């Protein structure tokens, strides 16, 4: 299965520009024995209490602050599988990203032949049958003239981190290298893909969307930064709303946009908006019909313990982390649990700290496994 989503939605979500106030973590309310004052605590107990308080404070800052998503946004995402966050990037930032791409126009690769994604000539998503979608990567390494800066900002953007925390979780990580997707007039689309169910009807766990006890969980969240306007009917990103909850595999005729076309939404999006969708929703790309060129930069994020892609292994491509902020580097950590010395972020996109594993435990693991982590 190929999973390369793109744009998104119809439901328009607004970001609150206020900073949330952390709530007090119930775990920080330590009960005391009536006899505790008469017993001198051991040095280890004091150290352990200090470490526990530090971890609790960090967890409070990172996880228990009021969500940056409104209840309307949560409802919309849970119902439809996507939202649009408006005006995340201003006109100057969009222009800077487009200029950086234009400076590397010779590196853009058009999909031809078997790489075309819209089906056979004459199919609904095939476009003019000749012009292919074009791709470009590497933007996190564009250190010349600071070209990488705006692209890197998506990793820990103060307007986006609250969404990442709510939809993926604290300690989230970048799972795929970002991809610039470009469609000129007549370019083919991409047959629909993703979805909750595999073609054989089995559950697609690697793309799973779940809701449990008031919390949304996405195994893989797509984040698409729009660098051009898309009006309904222009083409570009399209989605089958609510398909992330379907109990049936999507029929092939719908995947190829040959049947039940009324189930598909081709949402409006403006340059500077950011679209968020779960890869558990069936989505694809319509052939591009507008005269102007469409561009979007697609990122994917995953929970701290999960990896779908493998571009992080054994290291990210050379130059990826050079000049990054500590917050941005934190998003590039390999998959492992938050409690195993993982640096996390606050909702404002700053480094919250590292939830450290006790030294005596790491010393024990080193003796047992020859490594400080099991």
């Amino acid at each position: 299965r190929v999973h390369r989503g793109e744009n998104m939605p119809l439901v328009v979500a607004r970001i609150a520009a206020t900073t949330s106030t952390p709530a007090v973590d119930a775990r920080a309310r330590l009960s005391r024995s009536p006899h505790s004052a008469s017993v001198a605590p051991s040095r280890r107990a004091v150290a352990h209490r200090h470490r526990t308080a530090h971890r609790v404070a960090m967890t409070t800052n990172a996880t228990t602050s009021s969500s940056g998503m409104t209840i309307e946004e949560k409802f919309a995402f849970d119902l439809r599988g996507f939202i649009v966050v408006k005006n995340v990037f201003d006109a100057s930032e969009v222009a800077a990203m487009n200029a950086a791409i234009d400076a590397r126009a010779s590196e853009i690769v058009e999909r031809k032949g078997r790489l075309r994604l819209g089906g056979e000539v004459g199919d609904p998503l095939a476009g003019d049958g000749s012009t292919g979608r074009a791709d470009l990567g590497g933007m996190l390494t564009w250190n010349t003239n600071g070209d990488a800066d705006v692209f890197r900002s998506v990793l820990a953007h103060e307007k986006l981190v609250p969404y990442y925390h709510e939809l993926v979780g604290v300690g989230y990580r970048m799972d795929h290298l970002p991809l610039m997707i470009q469609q000129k007039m007549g370019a083919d689309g991409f047959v629909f893909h993703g979805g909750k169910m595999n073609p054989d009807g089995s559950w697609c766990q690697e793309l799973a969307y779940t809701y449990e006890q008031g919390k949304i969980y996405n195994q893989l969240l797509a984040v698409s930064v729009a660098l051009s306007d898309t009006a309904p009917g222009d083409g570009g990103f399209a989605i089958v709303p609510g398909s992330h909850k379907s109990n049936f595999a999507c029929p092939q005729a719908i995947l190829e946009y040959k049947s039940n076309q009324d189930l598909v939404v081709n949402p409006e999006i403006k340059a500077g908006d950011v679209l968020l969708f779960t890869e558990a929703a069936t989505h694809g790309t319509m052939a591009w019909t507008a005269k102007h060129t469409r561009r979007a930069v697609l990122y994917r994020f995953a929970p701290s313990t999960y990896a779908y892609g493998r571009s992080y292994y054994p290291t990210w491509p050379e130059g990826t982390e050079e000049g990054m902020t500590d917050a941005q580097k934190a998003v590039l950590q390999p998959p492992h649990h938050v409690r195993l010395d993982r640096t996390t972020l606050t909702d404002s996109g700053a480094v919250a700290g590292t939830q450290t594993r006790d030294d005596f435990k790491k010393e024990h693991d080193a003796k047992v496994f020859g490594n400080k982590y099991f």
Side-chain angles (χ1 to χ4, degrees):
R1 291 164 61 88
V2 179
H3 304 289
R4 296 198 181 196
E6 306 185 333
N7 305 29
M8 2 223 113
L10 191 179
V11 179
V12 176
R14 294 264 178 197
I15 289 187
T18 57
T19 302
S20 56
T21 302
V24 177
D25 193 321
R27 290 174 293 179
R29 303 189 188 103
L30 303 176
S31 59
R32 293 187 179 182
S33 163
H35 305 292
S36 60
S38 62
V39 179
S42 68
R43 188 177 304 174
R44 171 173 285 187
V46 172
H48 177 70
R49 187 179 302 167
H50 173 75
R51 287 192 299 270
T52 301
H54 174 66
R55 286 197 297 268
V56 168
M58 257 191 342
T59 303
T60 300
N61 290 337
T63 65
T64 63
S65 58
S66 58
S67 171
M69 290 183 72
T70 66
I71 188 63
E72 292 83 3
E73 290 173 324
K74 292 180 185 178
F75 177 82
F77 192 93
D78 181 61
L79 178 69
R80 303 175 66 83
F82 65 94
I83 57 174
V84 180
V85 184
K86 303 298 290 182
N87 302 314
V88 175
F89 295 96
D90 62 28
S92 65
E93 291 171 316
V94 171
M97 285 188 272
N98 275 317
I101 293 167
D102 289 340
R104 296 162 177 84
S106 62
E107 300 173 25
I108 298 175
V109 180
E110 182 179 353
R111 290 176 170 268
K112 292 287 191 179
R114 292 192 300 171
L115 290 172
R116 286 173 54 81
L117 300 168
E120 302 297 328
V121 175
D123 284 352
L125 302 177
D128 62 16
S130 175
T131 308
R133 193 189 89 177
D135 300 338
L136 177 66
M139 50 280 300
L140 298 184
T141 66
W142 294 348
N143 294 311
T144 304
N145 302 319
D147 285 352
D149 292 350
V150 185
F151 297 100
R152 289 175 169 181
S153 73
V154 177
L155 304 185
H157 199 288
E158 61 182 355
K159 293 181 180 179
L160 295 175
V161 171
Y163 291 84
Y164 301 159
H165 280 167
E166 187 66 36
L167 297 174
V168 183
V170 170
Y172 69 90
R173 54 179 298 275
M174 186 181 79
D175 188 77
H176 290 44
L177 290 168
L179 172 69
M180 191 284 295
I181 296 167
Q182 177 175 285
Q183 288 177 291
K184 294 183 177 180
M185 187 175 180
D188 65 336
F190 190 176
V191 295
F192 285 74
H193 52 281
K196 175 186 173 184
M197 310 303 291
N198 291 312
D200 64 1
S202 61
W203 179 46
C204 185
Q205 182 180 7
E206 61 268 26
L207 302 180
Y209 172 92
T210 55
Y211 175 88
E212 189 68 35
Q213 299 183 13
K215 182 79 176 75
I216 290 172
Y217 297 90
N218 285 282
Q219 200 77 328
L220 197 59
L221 179 73
V223 176
S224 180
V225 180
L227 302 186
S228 59
D229 293 348
T230 298
D234 282 350
F237 177 82
I239 191 167
V240 180
S243 53
H244 59 307
K245 297 182 178 182
S246 175
N247 293 311
F248 297 91
C250 187
Q252 189 63 32
I254 295 177
L255 293 177
E256 296 176 4
Y257 199 56
K258 295 177 179 178
S259 172
N260 297 83
Q261 295 178 350
D262 59 309
L263 296 178
V264 174
V265 171
N266 177 210
E268 180 176 18
I269 181 170
K270 298 291 186 181
D273 295 348
V274 173
L275 304 91
L276 310 173
F277 68 95
T278 175
E279 287 278 356
T282 300
H283 59 280
T285 312
M286 310 295 288
W288 190 248
T289 63
K291 293 182 179 180
H292 68 279
T293 297
R294 170 183 177 256
R295 278 180 180 172
V297 182
L298 179 65
Y299 299 71
R300 273 90 157 211
F301 295 97
S304 63
T305 56
Y306 179 73
Y308 184 103
R310 57 172 292 170
S311 50
Y312 72 91
Y313 181 82
T315 62
W316 292 102
E318 183 178 356
T320 299
E321 298 183 68
E322 181 182 340
M324 275 191 173
T325 67
D326 289 341
Q328 292 165 356
K329 289 179 181 179
V331 182
L332 299 186
Q333 293 172 99
H336 62 81
H337 199 278
V338 169
R339 73 186 183 92
L340 299 177
D341 294 349
R342 189 176 194 87
T343 301
T344 59
L345 305 183
T346 66
D347 272 355
S348 63
V351 172
T354 301
Q355 299 196 24
T356 56
R357 178 169 168 78
D358 291 309
D359 287 340
F360 73 91
K361 294 181 179 179
K362 288 189 283 190
E363 290 170 2
H364 173 75
D365 287 347
K367 293 177 182 177
V368 174
F369 302 113
N371 191 311
K372 61 182 180 179
Y373 300 108
F374 53 81

